[in-house]
Amino acid sequence: MLHLVGETIDKHRVQYGVETGRLVQIMRGIYVAAEDNADAVLFDHALRIAAYLYPNTYLCGFSAERLAPTPDRCLFLSGRRNARTRLRDLEIVQTRAPDAPETETAQIADPMGDLRVRRSTRRFRYLESFRRRSEAGAAMPFDMKVDIAARLVEAAGGQREAIIECWRLGEANGWREEAGRAEQLIARPLREVSPPRAGLHVGWHGEKIGLLSHDGSAWRWEPSAAEGATPVRTGLPGRLPPFIESLLPEGWLERVLNPKSERERMSGKRYMSNMVVSGDEGDIRTLPADVLEGRLETFAKKGKFAGGYAGPMPSFDETLEDRMAGLYAAVATPRLSGVQIKAPMNLSLDGMLRPAGEQRAFTHILKPSPGAGFEELPRVEAACLAAAHACGFETAAHAIVSMPGDLPDALLVERFDIRRDRNDRRKIAMEDIASVRGVAPSEKYEGSIEQVARELRGVSSDAEADIEVLLRRAIFAWLIADGDFHLKNMAVLKVAPDGIQDFSSVRFAPTYDALTTRVFPGFERDDLALSLAGKRNRLTSGDFVRAGATMGIDGHLARDCVESLCVRLGTHLESLEPASGRVGRALEIWRQRIETIAG
């Protein structure tokens, strides 16, 4: 998280944060949370930092066109003087502004919210691109100049008119040479043959919603003209739309796929929420839709899967992890986000559990044991999900799967972001809060529960109810010592009924990926993933009341949430027998947390 003294934090809190090791100073007035990736935070907030340090400047060149730093992490400004400021691997380059710059105001969104910035106009940055010995001009690739020139001709109504405008602006600033070179590019045939631009067709529930392309340096998203609800919205210039970014593999699967370039990150065709991304537009209609077939409630007894297992299993010369990695060699295998090892599965009407492939719907997620001290993770997660259900939360259906041979048990989770059966005609999308906030998955541990509440208030169709659920989920995360309740482990579920053009329901999603992290090696001192009332540890009932007030929740209601969850979780504990050693340790932590917060 970024902190700017005088804007987001005062000097006294900064001093305390530095003394306690919670904040790292980047330069005077600019601080980053100690646990964050400082380089990533600085890059994603580059425009806000530039506005903070140099309020009387404007974006120029490449940065004005893309509203972002260059791929090699330079941000270009124009102002009263030449200057350079290096903030770790981000460099802010300020050039001396000419006599009569032409600027405009643009509005962007970064992880901290909306921001208005000044930048050079399109025709002015076109002239800037021809300035000799100008880093800002040299950073603009030829294709970008050609694209701007074409848009200037279109806006002016012809080549002659565009050239006259460029000369008028050039004369006002003493840029005769620049205007001459700008004229030469406009006068030559810009696009004699416009070849069809290769791209990735993006579909949702069998309908094309846009085209995604990459020019070697940046992404471009072009939404289709089709009417109706769509979960994908344009993000920061040059970046993947946040919703699509949220679908991409992380952790184990990203290491398995090992993309060699930004373009290779889109290595599959099928993703969560019935999204298809493919170079072949026909795949949008022909790949199988993800619709529930067999239901866990039918094939589970006392929390254990009672159907047949025909999923990945080890062989003489391959481990289970090898077999699971082999599934993803097929581009038709659905891709999953999240750092944990997992496989997309299909539970058929006859109760057989098989890998989801080119001809099978992806209906369930199999989460085997990662090993290396985490053998009991599936059982601990199952216990946490059962506790969430007992505490009144809507929860993803789940069951323990006995794996073949001597393998530890796995957890099977039923998807709730897909249609319930073939007669269900709704369009459903699940968007995690990182995507809602427009931040990269790498920033999922940044921010606070109060900030999430603010985002929910802007998107939820029943904000008051959902914000109360969020507070209760934060209390529950603290009670069970869940240090992984981050921005990607909470989401909204968007539903557009059949025949309705917009999302009529946008609600906080059911509980998933709940886990007592403190019982696993290396996480014994794990705190809350997001801060609450300015804290991540040693929370009290009063902290939840204060956070509730910030979120717009009455103090009495906040106290009732704490007390009722303590009672319900305590009652649930009375009837539990630990399923394993680590589950027993988790239950003991729950009891201690209940006693501490209730006392």
Side-chain angles (χ1 to χ4, degrees):
M1 179 182 293
L2 178 72
H3 297 279
L4 303 176
V5 175
E7 289 194 6
T8 65
I9 194 170
D10 61 62
K11 61 181 181 180
H12 302 294
R13 289 176 61 199
V14 161
Q15 183 178 357
Y16 175 76
V18 172
E19 290 174 352
T20 57
R22 296 179 181 180
L23 296 179
V24 174
Q25 185 177 31
I26 304 301
M27 67 176 296
R28 183 170 181 174
I30 301 176
Y31 297 80
V32 172
E35 69 270 17
D36 293 339
N37 180 332
D39 291 331
V41 172
L42 293 173
F43 184 85
D44 289 336
H45 297 84
L47 271 65
R48 188 176 296 273
I49 292 170
Y52 176 77
L53 293 175
Y54 307 108
N56 297 317
T57 62
Y58 60 88
L59 296 169
C60 65
F62 181 100
S63 298
E65 176 68 14
R66 289 286 168 81
L67 290 173
T70 63
D72 57 355
R73 308 178 83 84
C74 284
L75 185 74
F76 295 106
L77 308 174
S78 279
R80 290 193 296 266
R81 64 184 185 277
N82 293 318
R84 308 178 78 92
T85 302
R86 179 170 287 280
L87 307 175
R88 299 175 74 107
D89 69 347
L90 173 68
E91 188 167 29
I92 301 177
V93 180
Q94 183 182 170
T95 61
R96 186 184 296 276
D99 295 333
E102 187 176 75
T103 63
E104 62 187 8
T105 300
Q107 183 162 326
I108 66 163
D110 68 7
M112 291 175 65
D114 292 340
L115 175 69
R116 294 175 69 84
V117 296
R118 287 178 66 215
R119 66 172 176 176
S120 54
T121 63
R122 182 180 297 160
R123 61 185 176 186
F124 195 72
R125 57 182 175 267
Y126 178 62
L127 284 179
E128 288 173 329
S129 71
F130 294 102
R131 295 189 69 184
R132 295 190 184 277
R133 295 181 297 277
S134 167
E135 288 185 62
M140 295 181 71
F142 181 74
D143 287 348
M144 182 182 287
K145 296 181 186 180
V146 171
D147 182 64
I148 295 175
R151 286 184 286 162
L152 288 176
V153 170
E154 182 180 355
Q159 288 182 333
R160 181 175 179 276
E161 291 78 5
I163 290 171
I164 290 173
E165 288 184 358
C166 286
W167 270 103
R168 185 179 295 122
L169 193 56
E171 290 282 5
N173 289 281
W175 288 359
R176 295 183 59 84
E177 184 178 350
E178 288 84 351
R181 296 170 66 197
E183 177 183 351
Q184 291 177 12
L185 184 56
I186 290 177
R188 74 171 61 174
L190 296 177
R191 293 172 179 166
E192 295 177 347
V193 178
S194 182
R197 190 156 51 84
L200 297 170
H201 303 277
V202 180
W204 182 52
H205 287 281
E207 297 179 6
K208 183 174 177 178
I209 60 173
L211 184 72
L212 188 65
S213 57
H214 194 272
D215 63 7
S217 63
W219 288 101
R220 183 173 181 179
W221 166 250
E222 297 177 60
S224 295
E227 296 181 357
T230 173
V232 182
R233 67 186 187 280
T234 304
L236 292 174
R239 298 273 292 271
L240 281 170
F243 185 83
I244 294 178
E245 177 82 22
S246 73
L247 302 175
L248 298 187
E250 307 169 83
W252 174 82
L253 182 52
E254 186 176 31
R255 292 192 296 273
V256 166
L257 297 172
N258 191 26
K260 299 296 190 300
S261 65
E262 184 72 11
R263 172 64 177 77
E264 283 189 14
R265 294 177 69 201
M266 308 296 304
S267 63
K269 294 183 177 182
R270 299 169 61 191
Y271 296 85
M272 297 286 283
S273 294
N274 270 292
M275 298 292 298
V276 172
V277 183
S278 174
D280 183 353
E281 188 173 352
D283 285 337
I284 293 174
R285 294 176 295 277
T286 58
L287 287 172
D290 294 334
V291 180
L292 278 179
E293 298 173 12
R295 304 288 289 272
L296 266 182
E297 62 186 21
T298 305
F299 299 104
K301 295 180 180 178
K302 295 183 179 180
K304 294 186 176 182
F305 179 62
Y309 181 80
M313 60 184 71
S315 64
F316 175 74
D317 58 350
E318 285 188 308
T319 65
L320 175 65
E321 184 172 348
D322 292 334
R323 283 297 183 92
M324 292 184 67
L327 292 176
Y328 293 100
V331 296
T333 299
R335 276 22 180 180
L336 295 163
S337 63
V339 299
Q340 188 178 343
I341 181 172
K342 59 187 73 168
M345 306 295 288
N346 170 271
L347 180 59
S348 62
L349 289 170
D350 62 0
M352 286 301 298
L353 189 63
R354 303 178 178 89
E358 190 165 355
Q359 302 302 322
R360 294 195 190 104
F362 169 26
T363 63
H364 290 72
I365 300 172
L366 182 71
K367 305 171 77 172
S369 162
F374 291 81
E375 289 81 4
E376 296 180 27
L377 190 149
R379 285 193 170 275
V380 174
E381 185 173 348
C384 293
L385 288 173
H389 181 73
C391 287
F393 296 104
E394 187 179 357
T395 308
H398 59 280
I400 289 292
V401 178
S402 296
M403 297 295 284
D406 297 326
L407 292 173
D409 293 338
L411 180 67
L412 185 65
V413 179
E414 189 165 278
R415 292 181 61 186
F416 51 75
D417 65 322
I418 58 177
R419 295 165 175 165
R420 314 313 291 168
D421 54 50
R422 295 290 172 181
N423 295 320
D424 186 351
R425 306 306 305 164
R426 298 174 300 163
K427 292 182 178 180
I428 306 171
M430 186 175 83
E431 182 173 13
D432 64 48
I433 300 299
S435 173
V436 172
R437 291 190 61 191
V439 303
S442 60
E443 296 185 20
K444 61 189 177 184
Y445 291 100
E446 295 187 8
S448 65
I449 296 296
E450 293 91 332
Q451 287 177 328
V452 175
R454 190 159 56 245
E455 297 292 343
L456 275 178
R457 195 171 292 282
V459 300
S460 173
S461 54
D462 190 348
E464 300 304 325
D466 280 346
I467 289 172
E468 181 182 336
V469 172
L470 171 65
L471 177 63
R472 294 178 64 243
R473 280 287 286 114
I475 298 167
F476 179 74
W478 171 251
L479 289 175
I480 68 167
D482 182 357
D484 225 26
F485 186 48
H486 53 62
L487 297 178
K488 285 188 69 63
N489 280 344
M490 57 181 86
V492 291
L493 208 58
K494 300 180 174 182
V495 180
D498 187 27
I500 303 298
Q501 295 297 316
D502 299 314
F503 292 113
S504 63
S505 173
V506 180
R507 299 299 309 276
F508 200 62
T511 301
Y512 61 98
D513 284 2
L515 183 68
T516 300
T517 53
R518 281 202 168 205
V519 300
F520 294 103
F523 294 89
E524 293 85 357
R525 301 179 65 83
D526 211 19
D527 296 333
L528 279 182
L530 303 176
S531 67
L532 183 142
K535 300 166 64 176
R536 295 181 188 242
N537 199 358
R538 299 182 181 179
L539 293 169
T540 66
S541 179
D543 292 322
F544 291 108
V545 172
R546 282 188 289 276
T550 303
M551 297 159 66
I553 298 175
D554 179 76
H556 295 295
L557 177 57
R559 287 190 182 87
D560 287 344
C561 289
V562 175
E563 293 171 3
S564 64
L565 281 170
C566 287
V567 170
R568 296 185 76 156
L569 184 58
T571 302
H572 177 65
L573 280 167
E574 292 175 1
S575 60
L576 279 184
E577 289 293 333
S580 66
R582 290 196 192 275
V583 172
R585 268 184 267 172
L587 303 188
E588 185 56 36
I589 291 174
W590 301 359
R591 292 187 182 94
Q592 292 172 0
R593 291 279 174 101
I594 292 171
E595 291 174 2
T596 300
I597 203 168

